Amino acid sequence: MRLRPFVALILLAGSPLAGAADLVVSAAASLTDAFRATAQAYEAAHPGTRVVLNFAASDVLLRQIVNGAPADVFASADQAAMDKAVAAKAVEPASRVNFARNRLLLVVPKPPRVAVTSPASLAESRVKRVAYGDPASVPAGRYAKAALEASGLWESVSAKGVLAQNVRQALDYVARGEVDAGLVFATDAAMMPDRVQVVATVPTTTPVTYPIAVVAGSKRGADAASFVAFVRSDQGRRILARYGFGAP
């Protein structure tokens, strides 16, 4: 099921086009707010360096990189996307490290369209639409599918699924009241406390961890490694924690 179009999340720090001297960071959509702040702090600590941010679903970003789009750093929202990046030789394997942790939540609009009290509620007939990221390309969707499969709910919930292009789109569907419930990351739900209500934490079959790596062939490899180190520094971790991300 598809709903209204959603504007792609592509945010640039500074001018709208990346130049040869810019450090391009391609990061999962759920990192949007945290990495905006991280980029600003990094630029302040490294005068003369401009960080250009590109946000989308992790698999979409990987396809862009594989197809030749400029990128120096790749940060994904799950290990599967980074595994694909390593297999495609799109990143430097030795540079790969985990830097953050998240949680999967069940959320509903404020006010709720129907009563949803737990993941099991999603299988009930009164629940008609459930938003989550497309498992084929969105890490949050993969976590959601695996969690629902483990609890025996996937078959019934997927029949009423509204597939989103990224986790922020799934959140947007919930916030606009276009679905009865959604499965999103905790950090995303925290962005709209006035429009989205958290129902429950959804246990995932694997921890929700975020890896980051230097893109293979980057012409700014040293700067890319420096940005990765900054993300994992005490200052970087404080910024991530401010936006709800836990330590890996």
Side-chain angles (χ1 to χ4, degrees):
M1 185 182 299
R2 302 282 183 179
L3 294 181
R4 286 189 286 168
F6 186 78
V7 177
L9 286 166
I10 300 179
L11 302 174
L12 304 179
S15 67
L17 296 177
D22 298 326
L23 183 67
V24 182
V25 177
S26 290
S30 54
L31 291 165
T32 298
D33 300 279
F35 264 32
R36 278 191 202 162
T38 300
Q40 291 174 354
Y42 183 83
E43 289 176 344
H46 298 79
T49 298
R50 190 183 75 143
V51 180
V52 176
L53 300 170
N54 177 30
F55 298 106
S58 298
D59 289 36
V60 172
L61 295 172
L62 176 56
R63 286 197 297 272
Q64 293 174 357
I65 294 170
V66 170
N67 289 331
D72 301 296
V73 176
F74 175 46
S76 68
D78 73 349
Q79 301 300 326
M82 191 61 77
D83 288 344
K84 294 176 186 177
V86 171
K89 298 182 179 179
V91 297
E92 298 290 350
S95 69
R96 175 181 180 171
V97 288
N98 294 337
F99 69 96
R101 182 183 292 260
N102 213 332
R103 294 177 296 129
L104 186 69
L105 299 183
L106 172 62
V107 297
V108 297
K110 280 188 176 181
R113 288 161 52 103
V114 297
V116 175
T117 59
S118 70
S121 301
L122 300 179
E124 298 175 6
S125 60
R126 55 195 169 84
V127 175
K128 306 297 184 184
R129 294 179 172 179
V130 181
Y132 50 83
D134 185 346
S137 59
V138 183
R142 287 195 282 267
Y143 285 117
K145 179 180 179 181
L148 293 171
E149 285 179 334
S151 57
L153 297 169
W154 175 246
E155 184 174 351
S156 57
V157 175
S158 61
K160 56 186 83 172
V162 175
L163 301 184
Q165 297 174 6
N166 55 63
V167 68
R168 287 295 176 92
Q169 184 179 36
L171 177 69
D172 195 54
Y173 286 154
V174 177
R176 295 197 307 237
E178 296 183 352
V179 296
D180 300 312
L183 294 159
V184 301
F185 288 139
T187 52
D188 296 296
M191 295 294 101
M192 294 186 176
D194 296 332
R195 300 175 62 190
V196 171
Q197 176 181 327
V198 176
V199 173
T201 297
V202 180
T204 54
T205 57
T206 58
V208 180
T209 53
Y210 287 61
I212 190 170
V214 175
V215 172
S218 167
K219 295 180 180 179
R220 301 198 64 178
D223 291 326
S226 174
F227 183 85
V228 171
F230 183 83
V231 169
R232 301 178 69 232
S233 69
D234 288 344
Q235 183 178 359
R237 291 185 188 279
R238 286 195 296 271
I239 294 172
L240 288 166
R242 195 163 74 230
Y243 290 91
F245 291 93

